[in-house]
Amino acid sequence: MNVAVVTFPGSNCDDDCHYVCRSVFGATTIQVWHKEKSLPSGVDVVILPGGFSYGDYLRTGALARFSPIMEDVVRFAGRGGTVLGICNGFQILCEAGLLPGALIRNQSLRFICESVPVRVETTESQLTSALEKGRVLHIPIAHMDGNYFAKEDTVRGLEDSDQVLLRYCTSEGEVSDASNPNGSCANIAGIMNSGRNVFGMMPHPERASETPLSSIDGRELLAGLLGGSL
Amino acid sequence: MSDYQSSQFTSEIIEEHGLSPDEWVRAVEICGREPNLVELGIFSVMWSEHCSYKSSKVHLKRLPTEGPRVLLGPGENAGVVDIGDGLAVCFKMESHNHPSFIEPHQGAATGVGGIMRDIFTMGARPIASLNSLRFGPIDHPRTRHLLTGVVSGIGGYGNCMGVPTVGGEVQFHEKYAGNILVNAFNLGLVPANRIFLGQATGVGNPVIYVGSKTGRDGIHGATMASESFDDEALEKRPTVQVGDPFTEKRLLEACLELFERNLVLGIQDMGAAGLTCSTFEMAGRAGTGINLHLDAIPLRESGMTAYEILLSESQERMLLVCSPEQVESVRAVFEKWDLDCAVCGTVTNTGRVVVTHHGEQVVDLPASPLADNAPMYDRPYAPPEDLEVRRTLDESSCHSDDLLADLYALLSSPNLSSRRFIYRQYDHMVRLGTRVGPGGDAALIRIPGTDKAVGMTVDCNSRWCWLDPRQGAALAVAEGVRNLACVGAEPVGATDCLNFGNPERPEIMWEFAEAITGMAEACAALDAPITGGNVSLYNETDGVSILPTPTVAVVGLREGLSDESPNPSSAFRSNDSVVAVVGKVAGGTLGGSEFVLHKTGRTAGIPPSCDLSAEKVTSDVVRELVQGGLVESAHDVSDGGLLVALAECTGAHHGHHLGADIAWTGDETPTQAFFGEAGARIVVSFPADGYGAVQALAEKYGATLTLIGTVGGDRLIVSYNGHSITADLDEMYSRWDQGLANAVGVNQ
C-alpha cells in the first residue's frame, strides 16, 4: 500500500498521518510537497491532512486548492483514485470541487477540540465496509470551521445516494441538535463523492488509532482504506 | 529631574527612554561620547527591566541551576535537559502580561509565538505548550473581554502552529483587575548533540535576516513592559505586535530544515527589542562584533528610520549566522517556504556593533557592555506595612453552616470549576503525543521511538504568596513536583516566570526576594533546578500591585512506559477500590484558602507552610506507586482542600463517574478538615487486594498512609467526626463542569 500525504504550507497533521499510516498500518508513505506538479507513480491513496494551510487566510482551503499539486490530485480522483481529506483536507476538497458543500465557522464561533461520538451512516464505502451501520465511534475533532453547510437539495442528494459517511451523535447513537458540536447541516461529520472514492471528514481518525491515546476507533476507519490487520 | 548632563537631548527625551541620570552617565562612559538618538534607543531597550533583569539579577543568582541532567542552564534562549536516548528537552516560560492587557488576543498570541521561537531557535521542535493566566474577578466589566481574547489568542496561535496546548492554570482575583497575567510555556524536543546557540561565531561569516518583514509594530514594547500602567495604558495599543502564526509555522519548518542539514552556526529569534537585542546578544555571547546594514533588511513599509528598524518588535523574525559557503543553501530553504531571507551583515572581531543606514554610520557601540553589563540594582526591600493585617483572620468567622452548599459553591466558582471551557478551544491532541492532557494533574506527552514520556505542569497559589511569599513560592514548586508524581514523572528541571509589582517599592522587592528564597529552597530539596525563566515587574496600575505570582513550571521524565501501560488518572476507576491519602490527612489551614475567599471575599490569614521533607516523601511514594501500576488513580489535594479534591476524583473516567463513601476522624473542626489547604497530600485509590503492596511502599519511604474509604455508587458521601455530606454525582458534576462557562455567560 503506497500512501501519499500532501504537505501544504501550514499543514500540521501531515507528520501524524505519515506516522499512523506507517507505524500502525505498515503502509509505505511518501511526503509530497504542495509545489510538486504531479503525484509519485504507484500511489494508491492520497491523504490531504489537517492543519491551517495558508493560515486559513481568505477562507479555509481556498488558497491551498490552487497549490500546484492539486491539479494532479483532481486528475487522480477523476481516474477513481482514493483521496481522503481530514479536517483542513476536507475543507480543501470542498474548495476544489471534489466534494459538495463547504465548511463554515463553528456555530459557537470558537475552536473546538474534543473527542466526539460519530455514527457510521453507511457501509457502502471503503472506509466503513467492515463496520456495521449505526456503530458509534469516538474520534477527536479539532477545528474552528467544521460546520458543514450545503443547500437543502445538496444535502438531500447526499442522503438519497447514500454519500453521508458519519454524523455527530450522542454516545448512544442518537443524532440530535444537542449532539451537534458545530452546527453542521444534518449533523454531517463526513461525506464522500458520488464516485465513492473521495472522502472528507472533520474528525481525525489518525488521533484515535493507538491505545495510549484517547480511543482506537479511528483505526477502524483507516483500516478500511489502508488494509492491514487490526 | 534636571541632572542629566547632555549637550543634545533634553532631560525629557532621556527620561522617556527610561534611563536614570546614573544610567545616562554610564551610557556616555561606555560610548566614550554622548550616544546619538538611535543609540539612546538601543540603550533604552537593552537596559530596560524586561531585557536586562537589572532589579532581579542579584536575587536570581540564588536559584539552583545545576542538576545531573541539565545540559544548558540560564543565559541562552531556553534551558536544555537530557532525557537519555540521545534526546533532550528544551523549555522555558515567558510573560506577555502588558501587551495582553492592552490587546488580549494579539498580546497572548504573540506571547505564544515568542516562546515557541525561543524553543525552536535552540534546534528543538516544540511539542507541547502550557499557560498560566490571571484575571480580575469574573464579574469585573473587563474580565470577560480579556479572558475570551487571551484564550482565543493562545488557541489561535498554538493551534495553527500544530503544537498542542496540554495544560495550564487560571485564577481570578481582584488584584489582577488592572494587570492580567499571561505566562506562556513551551517545551521542545532536540537531539542532545545538536543544540544551537545564539552566538555570532566566525569572523567574516555572513549575518542573515529571515522570516517576516520589519514594520513599525511593537516599537518600545520592552520599555512598555518595564513601566507601571495608568489610565493612558490603553492608548498604547499601537505598540502591541500583531502575530501571524502561518508565517511562524513556515519559519519553524524552514529552521528545522536548516538544523537538520547543519546549515547554521548560530541563531537567535527577534523577540523583545527586536533586531537590536538579537544583534547585541549574539555578538556579546560570542565575544565578536557585527557590522549590520539596515538597507538590506526587508521592510513592510517605506520611510522607516534606523531607529524604527532597530527597535521594531515585528514578529516571526530570526537572525542567523552561517558560513559563506552555506548562504545559497540557506536561501533555497527559505525560498521553498516563501519567506524573506537577506544577508544583512558580517561577523567582525571588533567587539562592536556597527550599523549603517543609507550609507551613513548610525550606531557604533560595544556589544558586550550593552548585552552583559547592564546596570544591576540591589534595590531596598522591607516587609509590607500591612503584612500583619493581611495575615490576621478570625477563623471563627469562617465557619461552614452548610458543608454541602459550600462544596457546591466552591466547585462552581471561577477558581475551582472545570477549565473545559478554556481547553476545549486549544488543540491539545495534535502530534499524537498526549497521553494525559488538560484536566489531569500534570500533562504527560510520550516521546516517539522511546519508552519515555515527559510530564509538565505549571503552578502557583498567588494568594498564599501574598500572605507569605517565601512559603507560597516553595509550595508552588512542591505542587508541581506533586502533580508530576501523580503521572509518575520524576522532576528533571523547572522554569519560572516571576510576576511582581513595581520593584522600586521596598515591599514589592521584599516579596520578590522572599519568593526567590522559598523557590530556591524548594528547587534544591526537590531536585528541580531552574534552567531559565523570565521576570515581569511593574505589574501595577494606579498604585495597585498584583498578588506576587512566582509561577513555576516543573518538567519531569517518566520511563518504562509501554503502549499497554495504563494512562495515569486523577479520577477513580473501579468500584470497591480503596481510597487513601498519602501524607497527613489533617493539618490543612484556612488561612489564604479558597474557602475563606468564598465566605468572606478576603484573602487573609496565615497560609500553609511548606514542609519540604514531607513533600519529598509524599511525591516519592506516589511517583513509585503510579509507575508500578499499584494505584488506579492519584490526585493532588490543592486549592479548595480535601473535600474538593475528593469531588474531583469522582470526575469522569472514560465517561463514567464513580462515587465514594469516605469517613475519617480528627481534632479539627469540620470546616478545617473539609476545606483547609496544605501541601504534601495526595488522594490515591487502588484495589483492596493491593493494600499490602501500597502499604509496604509507604513504609519504605516512611510516608503516612491513611485509608479513608471505598469507591462506588452514584453519590459522594463524606463523613468527618460524624458530620456528613451526601453529594449527588450528576448535580456535582454539572455545577463543576459548567461553572466557568456560566460565569463567562456562554453555553458550551
Side-chain angles (χ1 to χ4, degrees):
Chain A
M1 178 64 62
N2 293 316
V3 181
V5 180
V6 179
T7 299
F8 298 94
S11 292
N12 63 28
C13 300
D14 45 343
D15 287 350
D16 296 355
C17 287
H18 272 290
Y19 167 80
V20 166
C21 291
R22 210 171 45 232
S23 300
V24 178
F25 295 98
T28 304
T29 64
I30 309 149
Q31 185 161 4
V32 180
W33 179 236
H34 77 117
K35 286 181 184 170
E36 300 290 331
K37 293 208 168 58
S38 59
L39 293 164
S41 58
V43 163
D44 302 301
V45 174
V46 173
I47 295 181
L48 306 189
F52 292 72
S53 59
Y54 290 93
D56 277 357
Y57 294 147
L58 187 57
R59 246 186 357 260
T60 57
L63 297 173
R65 83 117 166 143
F66 291 107
S67 276
I69 192 66
M70 283 306 291
E71 278 187 34
D72 203 38
V73 171
V74 171
R75 276 195 295 271
F76 178 79
R79 291 197 302 269
T82 303
V83 180
L84 169 62
I86 301 168
C87 198
N88 187 224
F90 185 12
Q91 294 161 342
I92 295 168
L93 290 174
C94 289
E95 286 289 335
L98 287 174
L99 289 173
L103 282 311
I104 61 175
R105 188 125 301 192
N106 296 341
Q107 210 164 41
S108 66
L109 307 182
R110 288 188 295 274
F111 190 94
I112 303 170
C113 174
E114 67 188 0
S115 186
V116 297
V118 289
R119 193 175 74 186
V120 174
E121 296 293 290
T122 176
T123 56
E124 297 298 312
S125 83
Q126 290 175 64
L127 284 143
T128 55
S129 59
L131 301 171
E132 60 274 28
K133 193 171 169 178
R135 167 87 185 272
V136 176
L137 306 172
H138 285 86
I139 306 183
I141 53 170
H143 56 243
M144 181 64 120
D145 302 84
N147 180 350
Y148 183 75
F149 179 81
K151 287 185 202 157
E152 246 173 72
D153 50 350
T154 307
V155 174
R156 205 173 313 119
L158 286 171
E159 287 169 340
D160 289 348
S161 49
D162 196 24
Q163 287 171 247
V164 178
L165 267 175
L166 303 167
R167 285 187 215 265
Y168 301 109
C169 63
T170 63
S171 296
E172 289 72 41
E174 188 197 342
V175 170
S176 62
D177 284 349
S179 67
N180 188 338
N182 52 26
S184 289
C185 280
N187 283 46
I188 286 174
I191 57 171
M192 64 189 131
N193 66 346
S194 56
R196 308 186 97 74
N197 64 316
V198 178
F199 309 94
M201 64 177 70
M202 290 315 293
H204 285 266
E206 81 279 12
R207 296 187 183 188
S209 291
E210 293 174 284
T211 326
L213 305 183
S214 64
S215 112
I216 51 169
D217 290 355
R219 192 158 79 182
E220 305 205 32
L221 287 177
L222 292 176
L225 215 58
L226 303 171
S229 55
L230 285 180
Chain B
M1 300 271 257
S2 58
D3 39 1
Y4 290 95
Q5 303 292 320
S6 170
S7 60
Q8 40 170 345
F9 301 123
T10 62
S11 298
E12 286 71 33
I13 289 183
I14 304 175
E15 228 168 87
E16 270 172 23
H17 280 81
L19 263 65
S20 71
D22 287 347
E23 289 169 351
W24 168 252
V25 169
R26 189 166 175 156
V28 173
E29 272 170 22
I30 286 174
C31 293
R33 59 180 161 78
E34 284 192 21
N36 63 33
L37 183 63
V38 180
E39 291 167 337
L40 179 61
I42 290 171
F43 276 104
S44 165
V45 293
M46 292 300 291
W47 285 2
S48 67
E49 190 66 55
H50 188 81
C51 290
S52 73
Y53 299 91
K54 59 190 172 190
S55 301
S56 57
K57 231 177 197 170
V58 64
H59 297 286
L60 297 176
K61 286 178 178 168
R62 294 190 279 130
L63 292 167
T65 57
E66 287 173 2
R69 291 181 177 273
V70 175
L71 298 178
L72 208 56
E76 272 288 342
N77 288 292
V80 183
V81 173
D82 193 356
I83 59 165
D85 290 331
L87 295 169
V89 289
C90 172
F91 56 88
K92 193 171 154 183
M93 181 158 51
E94 272 204 350
S95 62
H96 232 214
N97 306 334
H98 292 77
S100 301
F101 183 74
I102 293 170
E103 211 297 299
H105 181 96
Q106 291 299 341
T110 52
V112 171
I115 193 64
M116 284 187 189
R117 280 195 304 283
D118 276 337
I119 299 308
F120 70 80
T121 192
M122 306 290 298
R125 178 181 277 283
I127 60 166
S129 294
L130 306 172
N131 56 75
S132 167
L133 312 177
R134 294 290 184 281
F135 299 95
I138 196 87
D139 52 4
H140 186 280
R142 216 179 261 151
T143 298
R144 189 183 159 184
H145 160 72
L146 291 169
L147 171 68
T148 54
V150 164
V151 171
S152 74
I154 291 172
Y157 210 101
N159 297 347
C160 186
M161 287 297 289
V163 178
T165 302
V166 296
E169 56 147 20
V170 54
Q171 293 283 304
F172 303 87
H173 193 280
E174 60 185 2
K175 297 277 188 185
Y176 300 104
N179 291 82
I180 64 171
L181 301 185
V182 175
N183 293 177
F185 165 97
N186 189 265
L187 178 140
L189 190 63
V190 61
N193 61 357
R194 212 202 59 192
I195 294 159
F196 287 86
L197 302 178
Q199 300 190 353
T201 49
V203 173
N205 280 337
V207 177
I208 304 180
Y209 170 113
V210 298
S212 282
K213 293 182 186 348
T214 295
R216 286 195 170 96
D217 45 340
I219 292 173
H220 278 310
T223 317
M224 173 181 79
S226 309
E227 288 170 357
S228 299
F229 277 163
D230 51 30
D231 289 342
E232 290 166 17
L234 291 175
E235 291 168 19
K236 296 198 170 173
R237 200 164 278 130
T239 60
V240 177
Q241 315 87 324
V242 176
D244 176 4
F246 173 55
T247 298
E248 177 130 319
K249 169 70 173 159
R250 288 178 293 146
L251 187 61
L252 163 68
E253 299 300 337
C255 286
L256 290 176
E257 213 169 309
L258 295 187
F259 301 142
E260 188 71 33
R261 294 167 57 191
N262 233 338
L263 291 173
V264 180
L265 295 171
I267 180 166
Q268 169 140 350
D269 84 294
M270 296 187 215
L275 186 55
T276 296
C277 193
S278 47
T279 308
F280 278 85
E281 286 191 358
M282 285 186 78
R285 287 199 194 100
T288 55
I290 288 179
N291 284 351
L292 189 68
H293 310 293
L294 295 186
D295 301 297
I297 303 292
L299 299 179
R300 203 164 59 210
E301 36 203 314
S302 60
M304 285 183 70
T305 63
Y307 184 96
E308 290 170 327
I309 297 169
L310 282 165
L311 299 187
S312 159
E313 290 191 6
S314 291
Q315 298 289 293
E316 293 95 23
R317 304 177 300 160
M318 295 274 203
L319 199 64
L320 64 89
V321 171
C322 66
S323 70
E325 305 78 56
Q326 292 172 323
V327 172
E328 284 319 303
S329 304
V330 169
R331 205 188 291 279
V333 169
F334 285 94
E335 259 167 30
K336 172 186 166 187
W337 290 95
D338 295 317
L339 290 165
D340 275 300
C341 170
V343 174
C344 63
T346 317
V347 180
T348 67
N349 60 1
T350 60
R352 301 183 76 81
V353 172
V354 178
V355 183
T356 54
H357 190 220
H358 298 330
E360 271 179 47
Q361 183 173 305
V362 291
V363 173
D364 181 3
L365 293 172
S368 190
L370 262 100
D372 309 326
N373 296 321
M376 205 155 96
Y377 298 115
D378 190 356
R379 297 194 187 276
Y381 51 91
E385 283 172 8
D386 68 340
L387 188 63
E388 282 319 303
V389 181
R390 292 182 195 178
R391 291 166 61 92
T392 304
L393 173 70
D394 175 11
E395 294 207 5
S396 64
S397 70
C398 314
H399 167 75
S400 175
D401 313 316
D402 185 339
L403 294 163
L404 184 62
D406 284 328
L407 171 65
Y408 282 164
L410 283 173
L411 286 175
S412 58
S413 71
N415 279 349
L416 295 181
S417 53
S418 165
R419 271 64 188 112
R420 191 166 69 95
F421 163 70
I422 293 174
Y423 65 71
R424 195 174 183 240
Q425 298 180 56
Y426 301 150
D427 189 339
H428 48 267
M429 303 179 185
V430 64
R431 300 206 66 75
L432 307 183
T434 312
R435 288 188 77 132
V436 179
D441 280 63
L444 192 65
I445 308 300
R446 64 176 178 169
I447 303 299
T450 72
D451 64 352
K452 291 173 177 163
V454 174
M456 60 198 88
T457 171
V458 58
D459 301 284
C460 180
N461 185 322
S462 22
R463 289 192 314 278
W464 294 348
C465 292
W466 193 62
L467 300 170
D468 188 337
R470 179 168 167 180
Q471 297 300 330
L475 281 161
V477 177
E479 181 171 354
V481 173
R482 247 180 285 134
N483 285 332
L484 288 178
C486 290
V487 300
E490 183 170 11
V492 293
T495 171
D496 57 2
C497 204
L498 305 165
N499 309 274
F500 288 81
N502 179 348
E504 294 160 41
R505 294 180 193 276
E507 68 273 22
I508 300 296
M509 217 47 231
W510 176 84
E511 290 174 352
F512 187 86
E514 285 283 294
I516 294 293
T517 302
M519 188 177 283
E521 288 167 350
C523 286
L526 301 173
D527 304 314
I530 298 280
T531 62
N534 166 248
V535 179
S536 172
L537 302 175
Y538 297 96
N539 292 288
E540 173 185 301
T541 296
D542 295 333
V544 178
S545 292
I546 58 164
L547 300 179
T549 313
T551 310
V552 186
V554 189
V555 172
L557 181 63
R558 177 147 182 207
E559 300 180 82
L561 271 177
S562 73
D563 277 4
E564 286 67 42
S565 312
N567 285 333
S569 166
S570 57
F572 298 141
R573 293 216 304 246
S574 314
N575 279 317
D576 304 322
S577 282
V578 175
V579 181
V581 173
V582 180
K584 277 191 214 160
V585 180
T589 159
L590 292 173
S593 65
E594 274 295 337
F595 179 79
V596 167
L597 185 67
H598 151 66
K599 273 295 192 202
T600 69
R602 291 183 64 210
T603 296
I606 297 175
S609 291
C610 185
D611 178 343
L612 287 170
S613 57
E615 291 287 1
K616 176 133 181 67
V617 165
T618 303
S619 293
D620 285 349
V621 170
V622 171
R623 184 184 314 119
E624 202 169 324
L625 287 172
V626 173
Q627 287 173 349
L630 296 175
V631 290
E632 292 174 327
S633 72
H635 182 43
D636 172 39
V637 181
S638 62
D639 304 26
L642 190 51
L643 191 55
V644 166
L646 288 166
E648 289 166 348
C649 288
T650 66
H653 178 72
H654 290 312
H656 301 291
H657 297 275
L658 291 176
D661 198 339
I662 308 285
W664 79 99
T665 57
D667 303 329
E668 306 169 288
T669 67
T671 306
Q672 282 171 331
F674 282 2
F675 300 114
E677 297 175 0
R681 293 193 290 182
I682 293 173
V683 177
V684 296
S685 69
F686 48 87
D689 61 6
Y691 175 63
V694 174
Q695 171 69 16
L697 201 65
E699 265 174 32
K700 177 181 139 193
Y701 283 96
T704 312
L705 178 77
T706 312
L707 299 185
I708 57 168
T710 313
V711 177
D714 54 7
R715 294 177 302 176
L716 174 66
I717 304 169
V718 184
S719 163
Y720 170 79
N721 288 355
H723 299 269
S724 170
I725 62 143
T726 301
D728 176 74
L729 292 192
D730 290 339
E731 170 87 32
M732 204 164 65
Y733 180 74
S734 75
R735 285 170 189 261
W736 175 76
D737 184 56
Q738 297 296 324
L740 185 58
N742 287 343
V744 179
V746 299
N747 294 317
Q748 64 170 348

